[in-house]
Amino acid sequence: MTIAFTRTRNQIATIVLGKLTQLGSATPTTADTDVVYERIDLELKSIHRLGKFWRKVDPLPLVFSVSVSSASASSDILFPISMTIRNGNNDDPVDIIGKLEYADIIDKTYNGVPTKAVWEGGAKFTVWPVPNSSLSAKLTYEKIADDSSASAAPDVDVAMIASLCDILTFELGDQFGIPEQRMARLERK
């Protein structure tokens, strides 16, 4: 027997609005629900970026072409995990380095099969050495959290739903006029 438990974005919004407005049996307004939906999506992206909630999705492999000194991948990259360059019949590993390490490379025009790549953000990578011809690269990366529809569960582990509701309640407290004493209690949770 398998038991799965989760909450949809709509159910999370109802929980949060219940804490913010003391809804009781009343139905939340569309405007209030939209505010919570927007905050769910923004908060999840922010929390995931900080590494506080590990996302449910598996790392995604992406194949793209590399030419001259830059490579353009997908724009939904939260952070790169690993990269390989197709060199003949081999997939050669490429070290993903930081901007400071890239700045330390003296001859940035040196030609060869890339062994290093710096992520410029978004969909752009700068590779070194500069390839002589177009090559194929494979990038494994963690994807930016998708916005979810009202009837879908947000991209967060079930064990973290209660904490997410508390965070959302605290973040939206000022907007809903929650008194300072209650906000201080929410902050301690």
Side-chain angles (χ1 to χ4, degrees):
M1 173 197 260
T2 302
I3 297 174
F5 175 80
T6 192
R7 292 281 186 230
T8 65
R9 191 169 78 150
N10 193 14
Q11 290 169 322
I12 290 171
T14 300
I15 291 167
V16 170
L17 287 169
K19 291 179 178 189
L20 290 169
T21 63
Q22 306 301 321
L23 281 175
S25 61
T27 303
T29 68
T30 302
D32 288 345
T33 304
D34 287 345
V35 168
V36 177
Y37 286 167
E38 181 179 310
R39 190 64 199 190
I40 288 171
D41 292 333
L42 292 173
E43 197 65 35
L44 282 177
K45 285 173 177 51
S46 173
I47 290 170
H48 292 161
R49 182 69 178 155
L50 295 172
K52 291 184 180 176
F53 283 175
W54 194 258
R55 306 207 9 257
K56 297 185 299 184
V57 298
D58 295 326
L60 301 170
L62 172 72
V63 177
F64 59 98
S65 81
V66 177
S67 60
V68 190
S69 65
S70 68
S72 182
S74 175
S75 62
D76 64 351
I77 299 169
L78 180 63
F79 60 86
I81 296 172
S82 66
M83 181 185 287
T84 59
I85 295 282
R86 190 73 172 166
N87 183 14
N89 292 330
N90 299 323
D91 283 337
D92 295 339
V94 175
D95 291 330
I96 299 174
I97 61 173
K99 293 180 189 255
L100 292 176
E101 292 167 289
Y102 184 74
D104 287 340
I105 296 173
I106 295 169
D107 185 2
K108 292 184 179 55
T109 61
Y110 179 76
N111 289 343
V113 176
T115 58
K116 299 181 185 308
V118 63
W119 182 39
E120 303 288 347
K124 186 175 180 196
F125 287 84
T126 300
V127 295
W128 182 88
V130 179
N132 292 322
S133 61
S134 288
L135 297 168
S136 177
K138 180 180 178 185
L139 174 70
T140 302
Y141 67 99
E142 189 74 23
K143 184 175 171 282
I144 293 173
D146 290 327
D147 293 345
S148 55
S149 65
S151 62
D155 196 7
V156 64
D157 288 336
V158 173
M160 297 175 187
I161 291 175
S163 296
L164 176 63
C165 289
D166 290 342
I167 290 167
L168 293 168
T169 302
F170 177 74
E171 292 294 330
L172 291 168
D174 285 336
Q175 194 167 348
F176 283 84
I178 300 298
E180 285 302 316
Q181 185 178 9
R182 189 151 172 248
M183 287 294 289
R185 191 182 72 185
L186 288 170
E187 186 176 25
R188 287 190 301 268
K189 274 192 149 188

